[in-house]
């Protein structure tokens, strides 16, 4: 082998060795880039999974909260309906009492609402017809207890039940419906306490 061939072979060997080192370095760099990319992908997947889990928990929480709110609303609506039914039933029961019990209730209401002045009291046609004979005396006595006076008017008022007091042209509506409406909140609270406490 000549000197030139030896030099050529040596250059080729060095070139091959250099190429092999470069290829090995490039492979190491490519492997490092690939490992870094894999780590980045794994981190992104973990972050996405964490976000999805948080979104799922948040969504489930909102669904549960919404369902609970709907349950409470339905329960409240049912309670309000029951309370309204009980109050309506009490109104109807009071209205349909026999004459003696009904007018005993009217006397109690009269003792509450009578004023210490001169006035008139009106009843419906139906109540005037079924009024006990001694009730006019009870009206006079109840007004007198308050320091006033009441005259029972024989012309009926267009009312369903109860009575209307008139003092100096000012009417006090003491029909059962008006009294129940005026005490609606108080009655609802009492019925709620009895039924649901």
């Amino acid at each position: 082998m000549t000197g030139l061939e030896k030099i050529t072979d040596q250059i080729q060997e060095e070139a091959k060795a250099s190429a092999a080192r470069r290829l090995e370095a490039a492979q190491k760099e490519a492997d490092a880039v690939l490992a870094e990319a894999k780590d980045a992908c794994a981190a992104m997947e973990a972050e996405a999974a964490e976000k999805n889990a948080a979104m799922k928990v948040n969504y489930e929480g909102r669904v549960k909260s919404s369902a609970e709110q709907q349950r409470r609303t339905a329960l409240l609506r049912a309670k309000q309906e029951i309370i309204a039914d009980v109050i309506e039933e009490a109104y109807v029961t009071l209205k349909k009492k026999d004459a003696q019990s009904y007018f005993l209730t009217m006397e109690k209401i009269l003792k509450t609402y009578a004023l210490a002045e001169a006035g008139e009291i009106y009843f419906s046609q139906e109540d005037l017809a079924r009024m006990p004979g001694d009730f006019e005396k009870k009206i006079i006595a109840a007004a007198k207890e308050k320091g006033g006076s009441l005259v029972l008017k024989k012309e009926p008022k267009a009312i369903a039940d109860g009575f209307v007091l008139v003092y100096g042209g000012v009417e006090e509506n003491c029909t059962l419906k008006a009294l129940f409406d005026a005490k609606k909140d108080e009655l609802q609270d009492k019925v709620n306490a009895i039924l649901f406490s």
Side-chain angles (χ1 to χ4, degrees):
M1 201 187 236
T2 65
L4 186 58
E5 288 176 348
K6 281 185 181 181
I7 292 174
T8 308
D9 283 345
Q10 188 178 356
I11 291 172
Q12 283 178 349
E13 288 298 320
E14 285 177 14
K16 284 182 187 176
S18 176
R21 283 191 304 273
R22 285 185 183 179
L23 277 174
E24 188 179 334
Q27 184 62 48
K28 283 182 181 178
E29 190 178 330
D31 288 346
V33 168
L34 183 61
E36 194 177 308
K38 282 182 180 177
D39 289 346
C41 282
M44 288 171 64
E45 286 176 356
E47 185 180 341
E50 193 176 306
K51 283 182 180 177
N52 282 342
M55 286 173 60
K56 182 180 178 187
V57 167
N58 185 17
Y59 177 74
E60 287 172 350
R62 283 191 316 222
V63 167
K64 187 176 179 181
S65 176
S66 175
E68 179 61 21
Q69 180 63 36
Q70 289 176 0
R71 185 191 71 78
R72 283 194 306 248
T73 301
L75 187 60
L76 179 61
R77 191 178 318 112
K79 282 183 175 182
Q80 288 172 335
E81 288 174 5
I82 290 168
I83 290 169
D85 288 348
V86 168
I87 292 172
E88 180 63 23
E89 191 175 312
Y91 167 74
V92 169
T93 300
L94 187 57
K95 186 176 174 176
K96 291 186 176 186
K97 280 186 169 185
D98 63 88
Q100 182 180 354
S101 299
Y102 176 83
F103 280 98
L104 183 61
T105 302
M106 292 302 106
E107 184 179 357
K108 289 176 185 176
I109 295 170
L110 178 59
K111 287 180 178 180
T112 302
Y113 289 95
L115 300 177
E117 13 181 318
E120 301 168 334
I121 186 168
Y122 293 85
F123 285 88
S124 68
Q125 179 67 48
E126 181 183 341
D127 284 351
L128 283 171
R130 69 182 186 146
M131 186 178 287
D134 65 340
F135 195 72
E136 189 169 358
K137 290 178 186 174
K138 290 181 179 181
I139 292 170
I140 294 166
K144 194 172 182 180
E145 274 182 36
K146 291 284 187 123
S149 64
L150 281 172
V151 175
L152 173 63
K153 301 304 272 184
K154 301 297 181 180
E155 58 270 10
K157 278 276 190 189
I159 54 176
D161 48 49
F163 53 86
V164 174
L165 294 171
V166 180
Y167 290 103
V170 177
E171 291 189 0
E172 176 72 33
N173 186 346
C174 294
T175 61
L176 294 177
K177 187 70 174 155
L179 295 175
F180 269 74
D181 288 346
K183 300 281 186 179
K184 182 179 180 181
D185 291 340
E186 186 180 327
L187 289 170
Q188 286 176 335
D189 290 345
K190 285 182 179 179
V191 172
N192 183 44
I194 291 167
L195 294 179
F196 303 112
S197 293

